[in-house]
Amino acid sequence: MAEGDSGSDQRQNEEIEAMAAIYGEEWCVIDDCAKIFCIRISDDIDDPKWTLCLQVMLPDEYPGTAPPVYQLNAPWLKGQERADLSNILEEIYIQNIGESILYLWVEKIRDVLIQKSQMTEPGPDVKKNTEEKRVECEGDILLARQPANPVKPLGFDISANQTEIEEFPPIDHGVPITDRRSTFQAHLAPVVCPKQVKMVLAKLYENKKIASATHNIYAYRIYCEDKQTFLQDYEDDGETAAGGRLLHLMEILNVRNVMVVVSRWYGGILLGPDRFKHINNCARNILVEKNYTNSPEESSKALGKNKKVRKDKRRSEH
């Protein structure tokens, strides 16, 4: 993807759509034009003991050369505890400069809240907090940092990637989502080489219903152990930008050795941006169901380790 304002804007939009698909009602749009969002994070969704609101503003330079401007809102978050959490978020940014980091931030904060709830100290006294004068939250602004080493293209020989495994992978099918007569359904298969990607597509197209879909959008990510890098690609199949958004969701969730195809049967009513939401929701649901999503710590380590290569391996000829 070309760097620049248009590139940053597209990457931001892809991340925003992915975050909305992942977090649903926890994700709130404060000002769409100014790119200001808020997400409510708790230690337990069903029975929250500790809750914090993370507010972020995405500058034009994010994620390329500048971090999100953020604010941590919680009546109980003060002093050293606030400083420690801010340091954790800044460390995540430094380890993943140039990458989309909102998912890593949110899940790290959730981890901190879960650890806090498991300690012996009781949760905040809600009544007391509502009676106290609300403390103004400090604006925790990170300084933009330029990557020390610019990304350089790396040679990639698919045939030398790894031993070709021709075993046909199993295919799972997700629960369809229907909206205004349009239906979306995700299909998932484990893949470890490009040949398996072609095998999965060929098998899916043997199904007359899938073959008759208006669009069959797909994306895949294959981890190459010998090069410690990812081979990944996507296909819009006529639904402009849908494949790139799907791949971006898979990058944020840090899935590997998997292919997701989302079939859409158009029902005659234009859905606008909602179609991208349904595509991402279908994909996320089946990835979670089949246990392809990593823990936040694993995601952070993997992103930090592979961030250069992930950029280089993105192919956009489709």
Side-chain angles (χ1 to χ4, degrees), residues 176-205:
I177 293 176
T178 301
D179 179 14
R180 285 164 281 180
R181 299 207 302 262
S182 277
T183 299
F184 302 79
Q185 185 179 26
H187 320 282
L188 178 149
V191 293
V192 294
C193 64
K195 189 168 185 178
Q196 284 187 320
V197 172
K198 295 179 180 179
M199 292 169 67
V200 170
L201 288 173
K203 185 64 176 179
L204 287 174
Y205 274 95

Side-chain angles (χ1 to χ4, degrees), residues 36-261:
I36 301 175
F37 308 92
C38 182
I39 183 164
R40 185 174 182 272
I41 311 165
S42 57
D43 57 323
D44 189 312
I45 295 176
D46 297 323
D47 185 22
K49 184 178 178 183
W50 297 95
T51 299
L52 181 151
C53 288
L54 171 67
Q55 182 171 311
V56 294
M57 188 276 287
L58 307 183
D60 292 340
E61 298 80 11
Y62 173 79
T65 58
V69 177
Y70 72 93
Q71 192 166 315
L72 300 169
N73 298 331
W76 52 267
L77 186 64
K78 302 175 184 178
Q80 189 60 45
E81 196 167 21
R82 172 184 290 278
D84 290 344
L85 186 53
S86 296
N87 288 337
I88 290 172
L89 299 187
E90 181 168 0
E91 184 63 27
I92 291 175
Y93 167 69
I94 293 172
Q95 291 175 354
N96 299 282
I97 291 175
E99 300 296 332
S100 302
I101 60 170
L102 295 185
Y103 174 78
L104 296 180
W105 274 9
V106 170
E107 291 306 315
K108 186 59 184 179
I109 292 172
R110 195 186 307 280
D111 275 354
V112 170
L113 297 181
I114 290 173
Q115 292 174 12
K116 191 175 179 65
S117 70
Q118 293 172 346
M119 296 171 65
T120 56
E121 63 176 303
D125 184 338
V126 177
K127 183 177 180 181
K128 179 180 178 181
N129 285 333
T130 55
E131 292 174 349
E132 292 177 349
K133 180 180 179 181
R134 180 164 182 150
V135 179
E136 287 295 322
C137 293
E138 303 167 4
D140 297 295
I141 302 176
L142 297 180
L143 298 177
R145 300 172 186 265
Q146 293 287 349
N149 299 311
V151 177
K152 296 180 180 180
L154 299 176
F156 195 86
D157 181 4
I158 293 178
S159 62
N161 165 28
Q162 53 197 353
T163 303
E164 292 285 316
I165 300 177
E166 299 185 13
E167 179 183 355
F168 184 81
I171 301 175
D172 290 296
H173 307 279
V175 177
I177 293 176
T178 301
D179 179 14
R180 285 164 281 180
R181 299 207 302 262
S182 277
T183 299
F184 302 79
Q185 185 179 26
H187 320 282
L188 178 149
V191 293
V192 294
C193 64
K195 189 168 185 178
Q196 284 187 320
V197 172
K198 295 179 180 179
M199 292 169 67
V200 170
L201 288 173
K203 185 64 176 179
L204 287 174
Y205 274 95
E206 288 179 6
N207 183 300
K208 292 183 179 180
K209 182 178 179 182
I210 294 175
S212 68
T214 312
H215 309 287
N216 282 301
I217 304 120
Y218 72 81
Y220 65 86
R221 302 189 80 215
I222 298 171
Y223 185 64
C224 311
E225 196 70 44
D226 56 343
K227 295 180 180 291
Q228 294 190 337
T229 183
F230 281 93
L231 170 63
Q232 57 188 37
D233 203 355
Y234 62 85
E235 171 59 55
D236 294 333
D237 193 29
E239 185 69 283
T240 305
R245 286 172 160 87
L246 176 57
L247 178 60
H248 191 73
L249 173 69
M250 295 171 70
E251 288 176 334
I252 288 178
L253 295 175
N254 194 42
V255 299
R256 60 176 62 191
N257 298 334
V258 65
M259 173 182 189
V260 177
V261 181

Side-chain angles (χ1 to χ4, degrees), residues 21 175 177-180 182-186 262 264 271-285:
V175 177
I177 293 176
T178 301
D179 179 14
R180 285 164 281 180
S182 277
T183 299
F184 302 79
Q185 185 179 26
V262 178
R264 182 199 179 180
L271 302 186
D274 283 350
R275 67 192 190 277
F276 298 119
K277 177 181 70 176
H278 296 320
I279 291 167
N280 273 2
N281 279 336
C282 278
R284 175 189 175 272
N285 290 345

Side-chain angles (χ1 to χ4, degrees), residues 9-25:
D9 190 58
Q10 182 177 342
R11 292 182 68 188
Q12 286 183 15
N13 290 336
E14 290 174 352
E15 183 176 20
I16 290 165
E17 289 170 0
M19 293 292 287
I22 293 169
Y23 295 110
E25 294 182 355

